[in-house]
Amino acid sequence: MTGRAPNWKLKGYKSPEEYRAACGATRKTRRAAMAATKARNTTARILEKMWDQADFDKPRVTITKEQLMGLCSCSFWSVRSALKELRDEGAIKPVHGWEGGRGKATTWRLLVPGSSETPSELQVQLMEHARDRDAAWRFLSGKYGPMKALELMGDKPEDQDLD
């Protein structure tokens, strides 16, 4: 009997608790971002739809202007000016695909206006660092043994004799 792995495992988290913590932080960040923005009407609706379309556990969204037009029922020029306004305010930051154009998806990092980092982003970075460190430990200890792995990772073994 083969089944699909749970969502938290597919996304690379160690436990469902770690996954829930990242998702909870993203929800709090969304509420803070919507409260902090000065955007009104169409611009606020576009920001809200971007948060709706974002990854569940990270404040990032990959979306085209046409998709935003469809979600918000507004014109291309309204979307374009709203994205410019949100960029200037600091609510969104382009990450990938900034060249733009019609039909070209852009990846946006969603932020709380007035802050450079979101709480969920910081938490995700810490979890990714821990996962990377665990992966390095497994690889190095399997290849060189635990003592050499500790040395390579910059940690001193506790039971090492210093003569």
Side-chain angles (χ1 to χ4, degrees):
M1 185 166 122
T2 61
R4 185 172 172 225
N7 201 22
W8 59 270
K9 240 181 203 176
L10 292 173
K11 296 213 178 238
Y13 291 95
K14 290 183 186 176
S15 66
E17 291 80 26
E18 185 181 59
Y19 179 67
R20 271 190 242 113
C23 297
T26 300
R27 282 192 297 275
K28 290 176 189 171
T29 304
R30 178 182 192 234
R31 283 194 299 269
M34 292 308 294
T37 187
K38 294 177 184 165
R40 298 289 172 251
N41 303 327
T42 304
T43 306
R45 197 167 65 236
I46 286 173
L47 181 61
E48 188 175 3
K49 294 301 180 184
M50 288 176 80
W51 273 102
D52 289 345
Q53 298 295 315
D55 293 334
F56 189 57
D57 59 334
K58 292 182 186 172
R60 289 179 184 245
V61 64
T62 302
I63 197 162
T64 64
K65 291 179 183 86
E66 286 78 14
Q67 288 171 323
L68 285 171
M69 286 168 47
L71 289 170
C72 298
S73 302
C74 57
S75 71
F76 179 80
W77 298 107
S78 296
V79 169
R80 190 170 167 204
S81 65
L83 290 175
K84 182 179 181 335
E85 182 180 333
L86 291 170
R87 262 193 338 267
D88 293 343
E89 182 185 48
I92 60 175
K93 184 177 181 181
V95 177
H96 181 70
W98 177 238
E99 304 82 45
R102 288 190 180 246
K104 303 275 184 176
T106 302
T107 301
W108 300 93
R109 186 170 85 185
L110 304 170
L111 302 165
V112 176
S115 72
S116 60
E117 280 193 348
T118 61
S120 62
E121 184 174 297
L122 185 60
Q123 187 174 6
V124 167
Q125 286 174 353
L126 290 172
M127 285 187 251
E128 286 174 351
H129 175 70
R131 277 197 307 264
D132 292 345
R133 189 161 172 77
D134 288 344
W137 168 255
R138 284 192 303 274
F139 173 76
L140 292 172
S141 64
K143 186 167 184 170
Y144 299 112
M147 296 302 285
K148 183 70 174 174
L150 283 172
E151 183 183 318
L152 290 171
M153 290 182 72
D155 296 333
K156 300 257 191 238
E158 291 100 24
D159 59 329
Q160 184 178 13
D161 292 331
L162 299 172
D163 293 358

